[in-house]
Amino acid sequence: MDPKLLDILACPLCKGPLKPAADKSELICKADALAFPVRDGIPVMLETEARTLNVDERLDK
Ligand SMILES: [Zn+2]
């Protein structure tokens, strides 16, 4: 993913910063415990498409 793109991305709910998942398949908002999918390199910033983080993921690794 383009690092510049990541700079301008913010969580649509809390407007906070997003952290890419280790495999870059998702963008994670820790504050909301949501993971937004990245499809074909394009982040899908829709709450309806987001996955809720599990307990392990909510703990900072
Ligand atoms: Zn958020």
Side-chain angles (χ1 to χ4, degrees), residues 9-46:
L9 285 174
C11 174
L13 300 184
C14 68
K15 312 297 181 201
L18 294 166
K19 183 170 166 286
D23 64 1
K24 307 281 199 293
S25 68
E26 293 176 319
L27 290 173
I28 292 166
C29 174
K30 286 276 183 186
D32 294 312
L34 288 174
F36 297 91
V38 179
R39 295 190 185 134
D40 299 325
I42 300 169
V44 181
M45 306 312 297
L46 297 172

